Short mmCIF file of all heavy atoms in Angstrom, two decimals:
data_model
loop_
_atom_site.label_atom_id
_atom_site.label_comp_id
_atom_site.label_asym_id
_atom_site.label_seq_id
_atom_site.Cartn_x
_atom_site.Cartn_y
_atom_site.Cartn_z
N SER A 237 7.65 32.18 2.24
CA SER A 237 6.67 31.25 2.80
C SER A 237 7.48 30.27 3.66
O SER A 237 8.68 30.09 3.43
CB SER A 237 6.00 30.54 1.64
OG SER A 237 4.97 29.73 2.11
N SER A 238 6.85 29.65 4.65
CA SER A 238 7.64 28.72 5.47
C SER A 238 7.33 27.27 5.09
O SER A 238 6.21 26.93 4.70
CB SER A 238 7.37 28.94 6.96
OG SER A 238 6.11 28.44 7.31
N ARG A 239 8.37 26.43 5.15
CA ARG A 239 8.25 25.00 4.88
C ARG A 239 9.16 24.29 5.86
O ARG A 239 10.38 24.45 5.80
CB ARG A 239 8.76 24.66 3.46
CG ARG A 239 7.92 25.16 2.32
CD ARG A 239 6.71 24.27 2.11
NE ARG A 239 5.98 24.63 0.91
CZ ARG A 239 5.16 25.68 0.80
NH1 ARG A 239 4.98 26.48 1.82
NH2 ARG A 239 4.54 25.92 -0.33
N TYR A 240 8.61 23.51 6.77
CA TYR A 240 9.46 22.75 7.70
C TYR A 240 8.90 21.34 7.82
O TYR A 240 7.81 21.15 8.34
CB TYR A 240 9.49 23.44 9.07
CG TYR A 240 10.46 22.81 10.04
CD1 TYR A 240 11.84 22.88 9.83
CD2 TYR A 240 10.01 22.12 11.17
CE1 TYR A 240 12.74 22.30 10.72
CE2 TYR A 240 10.91 21.55 12.07
CZ TYR A 240 12.27 21.65 11.83
OH TYR A 240 13.17 21.06 12.72
N ILE A 241 9.67 20.39 7.32
CA ILE A 241 9.22 18.99 7.37
C ILE A 241 9.64 18.37 8.70
O ILE A 241 8.92 17.55 9.27
CB ILE A 241 9.80 18.20 6.17
CG1 ILE A 241 9.31 18.83 4.85
CG2 ILE A 241 9.41 16.72 6.25
CD1 ILE A 241 10.03 18.36 3.61
N GLY A 242 10.81 18.78 9.20
CA GLY A 242 11.31 18.18 10.44
C GLY A 242 12.08 16.90 10.19
O GLY A 242 12.39 16.15 11.10
N SER A 243 12.37 16.63 8.91
CA SER A 243 13.31 15.58 8.50
C SER A 243 14.41 16.33 7.78
O SER A 243 14.16 16.91 6.71
CB SER A 243 12.67 14.63 7.48
OG SER A 243 12.06 13.55 8.08
N LEU A 244 15.59 16.33 8.38
CA LEU A 244 16.64 17.19 7.85
C LEU A 244 16.93 16.92 6.37
O LEU A 244 17.10 17.84 5.58
CB LEU A 244 17.91 17.01 8.70
CG LEU A 244 19.09 17.89 8.34
CD1 LEU A 244 18.76 19.36 8.47
CD2 LEU A 244 20.29 17.53 9.23
N VAL A 245 16.99 15.65 6.01
CA VAL A 245 17.29 15.29 4.62
C VAL A 245 16.26 15.89 3.67
O VAL A 245 16.59 16.44 2.63
CB VAL A 245 17.33 13.75 4.45
CG1 VAL A 245 17.44 13.38 2.99
CG2 VAL A 245 18.48 13.15 5.22
N ALA A 246 15.00 15.78 4.05
CA ALA A 246 13.94 16.29 3.18
C ALA A 246 13.98 17.82 3.11
O ALA A 246 13.81 18.42 2.04
CB ALA A 246 12.59 15.80 3.68
N ASP A 247 14.25 18.45 4.26
CA ASP A 247 14.34 19.92 4.25
C ASP A 247 15.57 20.36 3.44
O ASP A 247 15.53 21.39 2.77
CB ASP A 247 14.40 20.46 5.69
CG ASP A 247 13.02 20.49 6.34
OD1 ASP A 247 12.06 20.92 5.68
OD2 ASP A 247 12.89 20.07 7.50
N PHE A 248 16.64 19.58 3.51
CA PHE A 248 17.82 19.92 2.71
C PHE A 248 17.51 19.76 1.22
O PHE A 248 17.86 20.61 0.40
CB PHE A 248 19.03 19.04 3.08
CG PHE A 248 20.26 19.42 2.31
CD1 PHE A 248 21.13 20.39 2.80
CD2 PHE A 248 20.53 18.86 1.07
CE1 PHE A 248 22.24 20.79 2.07
CE2 PHE A 248 21.65 19.25 0.33
CZ PHE A 248 22.50 20.22 0.83
N HIS A 249 16.86 18.66 0.88
CA HIS A 249 16.60 18.36 -0.53
C HIS A 249 15.75 19.47 -1.17
O HIS A 249 16.04 19.92 -2.28
CB HIS A 249 15.91 17.00 -0.64
CG HIS A 249 15.92 16.46 -2.03
ND1 HIS A 249 17.07 16.17 -2.72
CD2 HIS A 249 14.91 16.17 -2.89
CE1 HIS A 249 16.78 15.73 -3.93
NE2 HIS A 249 15.47 15.72 -4.05
#
Side-chain angles (χ1 to χ4, degrees):
S237 186
S238 74
R239 290 282 187 283
Y240 186 68
I241 299 167
S243 269
L244 183 60
V245 172
D247 281 316
F248 182 89
H249 195 62

